[in-house]
Amino acid sequence: MTNTFGTGSPTASSAASAAPEAGSHERLAKAVRAAEQALIELEIAVETFRVEVENFSRLHHQRLGPMYARLDELDALIAEAVAAHSGERADIERAWEARALVMPMPGVEELFGGLLGSDGVRPVEDPNPPRRVRPGKEAQRLYRELARKAHPDLAQDEAEKERRSAFIARVNEAYAYADEDALRALAEEWAAGPPPEEALPDEAEVLYARLEWLAERKEKLSVIAAELDQSAIGQMMRLAPDDPDALLNEIAEQLLTQVGVREAKLAELVKDASAG
C-alpha cells in the first residue's frame, strides 16, 4: 500500500482524481470478464451445433446412402426392363438417362445380391460411427462444465492457452462420440491439474484490446454458426430440432418402403418378360 505521508506522497486532490479512474478501470475489467463468459457460451453453442451437424451428416450417409443408391439402381433396372419390353425409342432414352444416374459398376446385381443386409440395405463402413446425432444429457452436462472451466479464452498466457486448447480438443472429441466415461476422466484430469488462470491485467489498453479481440471472435463464430445453419444438413435438421435421430429413422423407413415398391415392380416386369 502506498504511504500517504512524506516526500512524494499523493495529495488529497490527486487521490480524489485517481478514484474515478480506478472505478472506470474496474468497470472495464468487469466488461472484459462478462464478454469472455458470453464468448465461451457462444463457442459452446456453436461447437455443440457443429457436432450435431457432423453426426447427422455421417449417420445420414451411413444409414441412408445405400438406400438412395439402391433406389437409383432399381429405377435404372425398371427403365431398362420397360425399354426391353416395348422397344420404344422414348423408353430406351429414359433407360439411358436412368442408367446415367448410376455409377457404372460391372456385376451390380451380384454386388447387391451378395452384400445387401436382411433389411435390403448395404451398410456403409465407418470405423467410428456416432451412436446418435445428439449426445445424451449427461454428456452435454459434462461437456459444458469442462468447456466453461478449461476454455482457452480464459487464459492470457500463451503457454497456458496452448495447454487448454489441446485439452479442449480432447474434450470435443469425447463429446462428439458421446463418450461419458472419457468426459468424466477428463474432468478428473482437469481438476487435478493447475487451476485456471483468472488474473486479468490492470492496463486499460490491454483490456480494451481484449474486448476488441473478443468482439472479433464473436463475429467469426456467428459466421460459422450461420454457415452451419444454412447448410443442407442444417436445414434438414430444422425439420426435427428436438429429435434429429427420429428424423433419420423416419426418412429411413420411407426409403425402405420405396425400395420395396420398386423391387416388387421390377420383379413383376421380369416375370411378365419371362412369361412373354
Side-chain angles (χ1 to χ4, degrees):
M1 182 175 181
T2 305
N3 189 344
T4 56
F5 299 95
T7 304
S9 62
T11 63
S13 60
S14 64
S17 63
E21 182 179 349
S24 176
H25 186 276
E26 177 57 31
R27 287 195 297 273
L28 181 58
K30 185 177 180 180
V32 168
R33 289 193 294 270
E36 286 177 336
Q37 291 301 318
L39 180 64
I40 289 172
E41 293 300 321
L42 178 58
E43 294 216 28
I44 289 173
V46 172
E47 178 62 19
T48 298
F49 187 41
R50 186 197 66 77
V51 165
E52 292 181 5
V53 169
E54 182 177 311
N55 285 351
F56 192 97
S57 179
R58 291 174 65 191
L59 287 170
H60 184 276
H61 173 71
Q62 179 191 38
R63 294 164 59 180
L64 306 185
M67 299 184 196
Y68 287 120
R70 181 59 172 161
L71 285 171
D72 287 342
E73 177 62 22
L74 287 169
D75 285 340
L77 291 172
I78 289 171
E80 288 166 351
V82 170
H85 179 70
S86 71
E88 296 290 337
R89 181 175 182 80
D91 290 336
I92 294 173
E93 289 179 353
R94 277 192 288 270
W96 286 345
E97 292 172 358
R99 177 54 63 187
L101 295 176
V102 182
M103 182 179 296
M105 188 180 302
V108 69
E109 294 85 356
E110 291 78 11
L111 175 64
F112 275 109
L115 298 183
L116 285 178
S118 59
D119 58 354
V121 176
R122 180 165 59 90
V124 174
E125 293 184 3
D126 186 341
N128 297 299
R131 290 193 293 268
R132 303 178 71 250
V133 171
R134 180 169 296 155
K137 297 293 185 182
E138 180 63 11
Q140 292 181 43
R141 183 188 69 79
L142 290 167
Y143 168 73
R144 290 176 180 276
E145 286 185 1
L146 281 167
R148 291 181 180 121
K149 291 177 181 177
H151 202 282
D153 289 345
L154 290 173
Q156 299 293 322
D157 179 71
E158 283 302 318
E160 175 64 8
K161 183 171 289 188
E162 290 180 6
R163 183 180 81 88
R164 287 168 174 258
S165 295
F167 181 80
I168 287 296
R170 293 164 59 200
V171 171
N172 290 342
E173 183 178 5
Y175 178 68
Y177 292 103
D179 193 336
E180 294 180 11
D181 291 337
L183 289 170
R184 290 192 186 93
L186 287 166
E188 293 176 2
E189 178 183 329
W190 182 258
E197 185 176 320
E198 297 179 354
L200 292 171
D202 292 332
E203 295 81 1
E205 294 82 2
V206 176
L207 290 173
Y208 278 121
R210 180 69 171 161
L211 280 175
E212 290 179 0
W213 181 89
L214 290 167
E216 291 175 1
R217 178 61 180 161
K218 181 181 178 181
E219 288 183 10
K220 291 179 180 178
L221 285 170
S222 298
V223 170
I224 293 173
E227 290 175 350
L228 287 169
D229 187 56
Q230 294 301 318
S231 67
I233 293 296
Q235 293 183 35
M236 187 178 295
M237 289 176 64
R238 287 186 195 175
L239 299 174
D242 296 329
D243 193 357
D245 290 283
L247 176 60
L248 279 176
N249 293 334
E250 181 180 345
I251 296 174
E253 290 177 3
Q254 293 174 356
L255 291 176
L256 280 173
T257 299
Q258 293 177 36
V259 166
V261 170
R262 282 170 172 76
E263 287 181 335
K265 182 176 181 180
L266 178 62
E268 186 174 345
L269 287 169
V270 172
K271 180 180 177 181
D272 292 344
S274 300

